[in-house]
Amino acid sequence: MAPSASPAIATTVHRAVPTQPTKFKHPLDPLTPDEINAVSLAIRLYTTANTPIKAVRFITCTLIPPPKKAVLAALGIPLTPGGQPEAPTPIVRKAESDFLDVVDGGTYNAILSFEDGTWNVDTCGLVAEGSEPQISPEELAFCEHVVRRDPTVQALAKEVGVLPEQIYADGWAIGYDDRFPKHTRLQQAFVFARYSEHENLYAHPLDFVVVIDSLAEKVMQIDFPPIYKRAKDGSAELSVSSTEPYALSEDSFTESKRERIPPPVRSFDFLPDLLQSDPTHKPRDDIKPLHVLQPEGVSFSMDGNVLEWQKWKMHIGFSHREGVALSTITYNDDGEIRPIMYRLSLAEMVVPYGAPEFPHPRKFAFDSGEYGMGTMANELSLGCDCLGQIHYLPGSYVTHSGTPFIIKNAICIHEEDAGVLWKHTDYRPGGRHQTVRSRRLVISMVCTLANYEYIWNYYFYQDGNIEVEIRLTGILQVYVAGQDEPNPYGVTVAPNINAHNHQHLFSVRVDPMIDGLYNTVVEYDTVPLSAPTGSKENFAGNGFVVKEKVLKSQVQDGARDFDWARERRWRITNSGRTHESSGKAASYAIMMKGGVLPLLAHTDSWVARRASFAHKTLWVVRDKEGVDGSRMWPSGKYVPQTREEPEDSVGRWVKNGNGSIENEDIVLYLTVGTTHIPRPEDWPVMPVEHLNLLFKPNNFFTKNPSMDVPGTNDSMSKPAFNGANGANGTNGACCSY
């Protein structure tokens, strides 16, 4: 593979230096750049001495977390309510790497241990055929080079007025295409024209899709989608009789029964300097500055990757696949350190598109499992992505050569005002009132997946709430539309620009430890009383009750649907600790109603077979720790080019599982998402869309845990207009009297 420049998200490429890896500060600290170098070197030495492999291409290199009990013992966190921590045991630092045999093909997985100052290979072997590790940023970038230099692509582009140097391509995983052998490492490429440097290339989509072999570095196939025409009855009619793929032996353009469509040439830019050439664009000039000031500094502290803020304490990790991963989350409840979550992160996501004509059904990207959120994380900018006084943490991942990319400011940590925390006014004459404002801690990351951006915000509140917010922005994935072409499966957002309908479904992994490692999920349905109006039991007809169901069996209870009619909720509980007044088990409730989303594809569709997590709102499985860690990935460890539901996926874990999920070490997978029917207002760059998931204490605290938060008399707050409505006369008088 030809050398390529670092992606825009990377700060630098770390070069190996002859230093001894230092001892980790926290057992879950991610691999350092020096450790990544040392691990890749150990693998090279091993493969040279013990295998016929002649050339290696590294794809992943990551920490294997130590066993949970060992981590909790090292941190002094008990396994049971009120119990004593277990005695610490030695922790061996372990790593895992996936790499490719560049000459003979095949994917290898190696597990290593760091002992006596050296990384040693414990195991190294081929993974199963059809198992491909994620597509690296270098492969995605090189896909564009392969497409641009191909003579057939150049000729096709020339036919619609595009020069070779104007050809650009977004590499994607192939999705599903059984016309090709399982062992071929494939990408599909969506092709665009770029007529000047830095302009919005998505404004100029071309009318064909390219498939490349990533290892052989050559074009394998060029697919032309059919087009729609207006039938006599006004309906949309496809130019071919079937939506199934064309045989590889056939000419795709001939089979599509259509004419070529040149790319639209109108610019739709978003960079300020390029917008200056647009006579219709006038920047707003009525926005006054708004500053976030903390004259006494921040209220959180950092010790390496360990954060403490307002009774919260947690470890902030980074991996090539999840990006941000929060671990060992505890809360100081009046001196008692109470564990809440062992790990919280994004485990998987899928973006299925809704157009049925081939090759558009191949568009269903598993953005985490196929590319990696960590490898796509942005270098965050002070004053742009995060406002106020900011602390950043870096992220690192391995390159093909074994050296790491470093994203210097991958994770942003800061505080925000979050409105009113609580308030009450005694309305009687002479009554007093109290207002307390909420402060929240924000841990965030921004990832660019080709055209789309995802913003991941983890919020921690003073009342014990934990919120996961996903914001979606960026540019729509588009295809060229013919003049006046009907668009039954999308929206023509700009002249000759077709944006297909699609969904975004996310699987959030929750490894709970509510007051200890052994938890239970209880399902709560709120239903009207069955007794009719006028009855002795329900004379006024207003009664409703909460019915509880303890999820006990992994097979029978491990996959749950949301029920709107029953206002269904779930709580993660610890039966070993009950509230002094309610008598109910300490718990955290899962509030996810606003993000519940059904997968719209058929259950036997290409995407549904691979994304089993999307079939249910909640999955509960008993964790099973192995040599490579816990149960992690709901669509399997190796996602690219799978054709069926993998054995190591959440659907299989539930179907093939046995035993109890009651009072066990359990893991939850929560499915949330949004259906995106594009609109012109989403073009050329989409305003953010929000998805929220809340974890709320329920019978966990004795009372409102934020009663000790003082009211804020903010001396910096002033009337907006001098002399008018002067804030009740004095600063702070409205907060408490």
Side-chain angles (χ1 to χ4, degrees):
M1 177 176 285
S4 60
S6 300
I9 56 174
T11 305
T12 184
V13 179
H14 184 83
R15 301 300 177 188
V17 291
T19 59
Q20 189 80 355
T22 56
K23 181 177 175 60
F24 56 85
K25 294 186 68 172
H26 188 287
L28 297 177
D29 280 349
L31 295 181
T32 66
D34 282 336
E35 285 181 310
I36 292 174
N37 271 318
V39 168
S40 60
L41 176 59
I43 291 173
R44 285 191 184 280
L45 294 174
Y46 179 89
T47 55
T48 300
N50 299 282
T51 74
I53 299 173
K54 298 179 179 64
V56 167
R57 178 183 296 177
F58 289 97
I59 302 297
T60 69
C61 183
T62 190
L63 176 76
I64 296 178
K68 292 181 192 177
K69 290 184 178 181
V71 172
L72 296 176
L75 301 179
I77 298 174
L79 302 181
T80 57
Q84 293 297 314
E86 293 189 346
T89 57
I91 292 178
V92 177
R93 188 95 159 146
K94 288 182 175 288
E96 180 180 27
S97 178
D98 294 310
F99 58 92
L100 307 177
D101 180 342
V102 179
V103 177
D104 296 324
T107 298
Y108 288 79
N109 174 267
I111 293 176
L112 301 88
S113 299
F114 183 69
E115 296 183 281
D116 300 324
T118 305
W119 284 98
N120 299 298
V121 175
D122 299 332
T123 63
C124 180
L126 275 167
V127 303
E129 184 185 39
S131 297
E132 294 288 340
Q134 68 181 55
I135 301 171
S136 70
E138 290 160 284
E139 287 178 304
L140 292 170
F142 196 71
C143 176
E144 185 169 78
H145 177 71
V146 172
V147 170
R148 183 182 292 140
R149 73 182 183 187
D150 182 77
T152 304
V153 171
Q154 292 180 2
L156 290 172
K158 185 177 181 181
E159 289 177 4
V160 289
V162 177
L163 301 174
E165 62 270 20
Q166 296 171 329
I167 297 171
Y168 284 75
D170 281 355
W172 281 41
I174 192 65
Y176 183 104
D177 197 330
D178 59 6
R179 299 178 301 171
F180 299 97
K182 286 184 178 182
H183 63 268
T184 305
R185 188 166 171 84
L186 301 169
Q187 290 185 65
Q188 60 179 324
F190 299 99
V191 188
F192 304 88
R194 173 170 266 173
Y195 297 120
S196 63
E197 187 179 19
H198 302 309
E199 74 146 348
N200 179 11
L201 59 90
Y202 298 106
H204 318 297
L206 270 67
D207 62 347
F208 56 89
V209 181
V210 181
V211 178
I212 75 159
D213 182 329
S214 294
L215 281 178
E217 300 175 4
K218 66 179 182 180
V219 170
M220 300 283 288
Q221 171 69 9
I222 298 175
D223 289 312
F224 281 87
I227 62 170
Y228 285 93
K229 298 178 180 179
R230 188 69 65 189
K232 291 181 179 180
D233 62 1
S235 63
E237 184 178 70
L238 198 59
S239 61
V240 296
S241 60
S242 174
T243 59
E244 65 184 328
Y246 316 124
L248 292 177
S249 59
E250 302 294 337
D251 178 74
S252 175
F253 178 67
T254 302
E255 294 298 312
S256 69
K257 298 180 180 178
R258 45 159 285 191
E259 302 295 328
R260 294 297 307 279
I261 307 172
V265 296
R266 179 180 171 184
S267 293
F268 285 93
D269 290 312
F270 57 89
L271 295 172
D273 55 321
L274 299 183
L275 284 169
Q276 290 178 1
S277 62
D278 182 355
T280 66
H281 177 74
K282 182 181 181 298
R284 301 186 190 192
D285 57 7
D286 57 348
I287 303 175
K288 303 292 179 65
L290 191 157
H291 302 292
V292 179
L293 303 176
Q294 292 183 277
E296 298 180 22
V298 299
S299 301
F300 61 88
S301 63
M302 298 293 304
D303 181 12
N305 286 64
V306 176
L307 177 148
E308 292 190 66
W309 177 82
Q310 292 287 291
K311 303 186 178 184
W312 291 101
K313 186 175 183 178
M314 69 201 72
H315 180 270
I316 304 173
F318 179 92
S319 75
H320 67 278
R321 187 158 175 170
E322 301 161 290
V324 173
L326 305 182
S327 301
T328 58
I329 301 170
T330 63
Y331 190 93
N332 187 334
D333 186 9
D334 292 331
E336 180 186 359
I337 305 303
R338 300 182 67 183
I340 295 174
M341 291 187 184
Y342 186 81
R343 188 178 176 93
L344 175 65
S345 66
L346 174 81
E348 191 54 87
M349 62 172 291
V350 67
V351 187
Y353 284 74
E357 69 275 15
F358 192 80
H360 296 314
R362 287 194 311 225
K363 291 196 297 186
F364 56 99
F366 291 80
D367 286 332
S368 179
E370 290 182 330
Y371 313 108
M373 284 298 158
T375 60
M376 301 298 165
N378 283 198
E379 171 81 15
L380 300 178
S381 300
L382 189 66
C384 299
D385 300 296
C386 305
L387 296 180
Q389 292 190 225
I390 310 301
H391 180 73
Y392 292 106
L393 289 176
S396 301
Y397 61 88
V398 75
T399 67
H400 287 176
S401 66
T403 57
F405 271 133
I406 300 174
I407 306 171
K408 184 179 178 182
N409 296 339
I411 300 171
C412 167
I413 304 165
H414 67 288
E415 296 173 286
E416 290 180 344
D417 179 86
V420 172
L421 177 60
W422 58 265
K423 177 184 176 76
H424 183 65
T425 300
D426 181 351
Y427 68 89
R428 293 168 179 81
R432 300 173 63 189
H433 73 241
Q434 171 75 342
T435 301
V436 175
R437 293 196 67 80
S438 175
R439 183 85 59 88
R440 71 182 179 190
L441 179 81
V442 186
I443 303 168
S444 62
M445 175 183 71
V446 182
C447 302
T448 297
L449 280 299
N451 53 297
Y452 254 109
E453 266 76 19
Y454 297 98
I455 302 169
W456 311 95
N457 292 322
Y458 294 86
Y459 299 133
F460 290 83
Y461 294 88
Q462 293 160 306
D463 60 356
N465 284 354
I466 303 171
E467 183 180 6
V468 180
E469 181 191 52
I470 306 167
R471 299 186 185 184
L472 300 82
T473 181
I475 298 178
L476 296 165
Q477 206 288 323
V478 295
Y479 181 69
V480 64
Q483 191 65 33
D484 300 321
E485 180 180 353
N487 195 354
Y489 300 102
V491 176
T492 305
V493 294
N496 304 108
I497 303 286
N498 175 3
H500 287 138
N501 304 332
H502 57 281
Q503 296 186 286
H504 301 260
L505 294 111
F506 305 89
S507 180
V508 177
R509 183 181 184 272
V510 181
D511 190 344
M513 56 172 186
I514 306 298
D515 274 326
L517 204 55
Y518 306 108
N519 292 165
T520 302
V521 175
V522 180
E523 186 172 272
Y524 292 82
D525 289 345
T526 305
V527 296
L529 279 179
S530 58
T533 303
S535 66
K536 293 180 180 180
E537 298 83 3
N538 191 22
F539 187 80
N542 65 305
F544 62 90
V545 295
V546 178
K547 293 188 175 182
E548 302 180 8
K549 174 183 173 64
V550 176
L551 305 187
K552 297 183 177 182
S553 165
Q554 182 165 300
V555 174
Q556 296 175 357
D557 303 324
R560 312 303 298 171
D561 288 311
F562 189 81
D563 191 327
W564 290 88
R566 292 174 170 265
E567 184 67 16
R568 178 163 290 171
R569 300 181 186 185
W570 294 281
R571 294 181 198 166
I572 310 167
T573 71
N574 190 320
S575 60
R577 184 163 187 161
T578 56
H579 191 273
E580 63 181 31
S581 300
S582 71
K584 295 184 179 296
S587 72
Y588 260 70
I590 302 168
M591 317 295 288
M592 58 188 300
K593 181 168 67 173
V596 172
L597 182 75
L599 176 65
L600 295 175
H602 288 319
T603 56
D604 59 351
S605 63
W606 293 351
V607 61
R609 298 207 301 266
R610 298 181 63 205
S612 61
F613 74 85
H615 294 300
K616 298 291 181 180
T617 306
L618 170 70
W619 301 84
V620 184
V621 298
R622 188 165 57 186
D623 198 10
K624 184 178 179 181
E625 293 184 291
V627 293
D628 58 351
S630 294
R631 284 177 161 166
M632 289 294 298
W633 315 118
S635 286
K637 183 175 181 177
Y638 299 105
V639 179
Q641 299 180 208
T642 55
R643 296 182 181 179
E644 300 294 337
E645 181 181 15
E647 287 297 323
D648 63 333
S649 62
V650 68
R652 295 286 188 183
W653 294 334
V654 169
K655 292 173 189 174
N656 302 333
N658 56 66
S660 173
I661 51 174
E662 183 182 13
N663 296 324
E664 297 284 354
D665 179 9
I666 55 175
V667 176
L668 284 64
Y669 295 87
L670 311 176
T671 306
V672 295
T674 181
T675 299
H676 191 179
I677 308 301
R679 56 194 184 120
E681 291 86 349
D682 292 330
W683 182 259
V685 181
M686 185 177 81
V688 293
E689 185 164 340
H690 301 254
L691 271 173
N692 298 82
L693 176 63
L694 183 67
F695 302 95
K696 193 169 188 175
N698 196 304
N699 298 290
F700 189 84
F701 297 107
T702 302
K703 60 180 182 180
N704 179 355
S706 64
M707 293 304 298
D708 57 356
V709 178
T712 303
N713 295 328
D714 180 24
S715 62
M716 303 297 290
S717 293
K718 303 183 186 320
F721 307 103
N722 290 331
N725 299 324
N728 293 332
T730 59
N731 284 327
C734 64
C735 293
S736 176
Y737 69 85

